């Protein structure tokens, strides 16, 4: 499927672009993301929304190039595990792209100044379950992978546990609460930044490993 270095670098660059896309479609200098009323989207200019919408849709799928190699590092757990893990990654990324693509609809609902509350109440069913399932799956997958890495059952070194998505995201949440001016940027792009951190750490951890035979 191509060279390890090339595919990992492409996936890492894709995570940077996808993080920029998230900031473009979600960032508000006033924050307020925790309120879950989505009115912070009124601070997002339409032009920025459109660019970020397509930038994310076109770059997030490229994560799979890196995840294919990451899945090879799970071979010690069993010959079928890499394929199954890669399948889970595909499913999670499909949900991620779906949610990213739905932000434009949420923006339209939030910017209907006359009926936004009523429309958002009805529209939540189309996007909130996706984000909730996405969060739960990432948490479960991170916990499962972290347990096996810590027990040294994979090709990852033990220090990789700290670069699973859950830990950087908790730092972003703390930053959002303590230093809002920085947290307001990190939280909207939290998912893609944490994936990028994980892919970069995986690249450094696996670059000297023989993944071809796994």
């Amino acid at each position: 499927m191509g060279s390890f270095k090339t595919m990992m670098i492409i996936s890492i660059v894709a995570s940077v672009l996808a993080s920029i896309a998230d900031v473009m479609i979600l960032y508000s200098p006033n924050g307020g993301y925790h309120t879950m009323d989505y009115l912070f989207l009124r601070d997002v200019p339409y032009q920025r929304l459109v660019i970020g919408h397509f930038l994310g849709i076109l770059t997030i799928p490229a994560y799979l190039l890196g995840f294919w190699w990451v899945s090879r590092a799970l071979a010690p757990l069993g010959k079928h595990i890499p394929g199954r893990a890669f399948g889970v990654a595909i499913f999670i990324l499909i949900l991620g792209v779906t949610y990213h693509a739905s932000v434009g609809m949420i923006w339209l609902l939030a910017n209907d100044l006359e009926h936004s509350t009523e429309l958002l109440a009805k529209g939540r069913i189309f996007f909130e379950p996706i984000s909730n399932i996405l969060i739960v799956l990432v948490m479960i997958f991170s916990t499962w992978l972290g347990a096996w890495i810590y027990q040294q059952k994979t090709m990852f070194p033990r220090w990789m546990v700290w670069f699973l998505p859950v830990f950087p995201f908790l730092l972003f949440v703390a930053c959002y609460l303590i230093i809002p001016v920085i947290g307001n940027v990190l939280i909207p792009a939290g998912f893609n930044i944490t994936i990028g951190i994980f892919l970069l750490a995986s690249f450094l951890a696996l670059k000297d490993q023989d993944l071809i035979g796994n």
Side-chain angles (χ1 to χ4, degrees):
M1 282 190 67
S3 73
F4 168 78
K5 182 177 179 180
T6 299
M7 293 172 68
M8 289 298 293
I9 289 176
I10 290 174
S11 66
I12 293 166
V13 171
S15 73
V16 173
L17 295 175
S19 298
I20 293 172
D22 273 352
V23 171
M24 294 184 75
I25 67 175
L26 294 171
Y27 169 69
S28 166
N30 300 311
Y33 311 115
H34 63 284
T35 63
M36 298 300 290
D37 61 8
Y38 302 99
L39 297 184
F40 63 86
L41 289 173
R42 292 178 177 175
D43 296 328
V44 177
Y46 177 74
Q47 203 72 12
R48 200 179 82 192
L49 175 77
V50 172
I51 297 172
H53 171 86
F54 287 105
L55 181 61
I57 289 174
L58 294 173
T59 55
I60 293 174
Y63 291 176
L64 292 176
L65 298 177
F67 280 131
W68 187 86
W69 283 104
V70 167
S71 70
R72 301 298 95 196
L74 307 182
L77 294 172
K79 64 178 182 179
H80 299 300
I81 297 301
R84 292 171 182 172
F86 187 61
V88 172
I90 291 173
F91 183 68
I92 289 175
L93 288 180
I94 288 173
L95 293 180
V97 173
T98 301
Y99 181 77
H100 185 92
S102 72
V103 173
M105 179 192 73
I106 307 171
W107 185 92
L108 291 172
L109 298 179
N111 279 277
D112 186 320
L113 301 183
E114 186 176 352
H115 306 101
S116 62
T117 302
E118 178 184 350
L119 290 174
L120 281 169
K122 291 181 179 179
R124 286 176 185 271
I125 190 63
F126 296 105
F127 52 84
E128 280 195 350
I130 297 174
S131 64
N132 292 336
I133 293 172
L134 186 60
I135 292 170
V136 170
L137 285 178
V138 170
M139 292 292 289
I140 292 174
F141 192 72
S142 293
T143 302
W144 173 82
L145 184 56
W148 288 117
I149 290 174
Y150 187 76
Q151 295 175 49
Q152 296 184 306
K153 300 287 188 178
T154 72
M155 297 175 70
F156 286 111
R158 187 173 284 174
W159 57 260
M160 268 295 300
V161 167
W162 299 107
F163 295 93
L164 294 170
V166 61
F167 290 114
F169 191 76
L170 289 176
L171 289 177
F172 296 165
V173 172
C175 192
Y176 175 66
L177 297 174
I178 300 171
I179 317 174
V181 67
I182 299 176
N184 286 346
V185 178
L186 293 176
I187 285 295
F191 178 77
N192 287 308
I193 294 177
T194 58
I195 294 297
I197 291 172
F198 173 70
L199 288 170
L200 177 59
S202 296
F203 174 71
L204 297 175
L206 300 174
K207 60 184 176 67
D208 296 322
Q209 298 276 8
D210 178 18
L211 299 175
I212 300 296
N214 295 296

